[in-house]
Amino acid sequence: QVQLVESGGGLVQPGGSLRLSCAASGFTFSTYAMRWYRQAPGKERELVAAISSIGRSTNYADSVKGRFTISRDNAKNTVYLQMNSLKPEDTAVYYCNAWGPNAYWGQGTQVTVSS
């Protein structure tokens, strides 16, 4: 059974940091590129960051470049999203996505940036 389980979301003040984790199981994690998406209320889901299967290549949305860092540990079947200098506009549900022969999604974790 394929599972992607996100964790690490929560409430943080503007300028703060959070680290999201996504633990994968049920498929060969090291052969899949991994992505983080987010969806704010009333808005479409948007791609935030992506990392290649072995972690050599990363890409970011312009809105998070220089603030967010995606990484992965294939030995732990886990992908991370380090989020620094958070802004209120980063408030959203963040989803983990595995992109490869199939596409898998996590259930999402809420990130709220507010004072």
Side-chain angles (χ1 to χ4, degrees), residues 31-113:
T31 65
Y32 277 69
M34 296 298 296
R35 299 168 166 176
W36 285 98
Y37 284 79
R38 67 186 181 188
Q39 188 166 19
K43 294 189 177 181
E44 293 186 354
R45 191 171 294 190
E46 65 168 338
L47 178 62
V48 174
I51 188 167
S52 61
S53 59
I54 57 174
R56 286 185 180 174
S57 176
T58 58
N59 287 286
Y60 298 92
D62 287 343
S63 58
V64 306
K65 278 181 183 176
R67 300 188 298 121
F68 290 12
T69 302
I70 188 171
S71 62
R72 67 189 295 161
D73 185 339
N74 284 353
K76 295 183 179 179
N77 286 358
T78 301
V79 62
Y80 305 96
L81 186 66
Q82 178 67 43
M83 305 186 295
N84 299 328
S85 302
L86 282 161
K87 305 175 181 180
E89 51 263 43
D90 294 318
T91 295
V93 178
Y94 284 71
Y95 297 91
C96 174
N97 165 251
W99 182 57
N102 298 289
Y104 304 118
W105 291 89
Q107 82 289 350
T109 186
Q110 176 70 47
V111 171
T112 302
V113 185

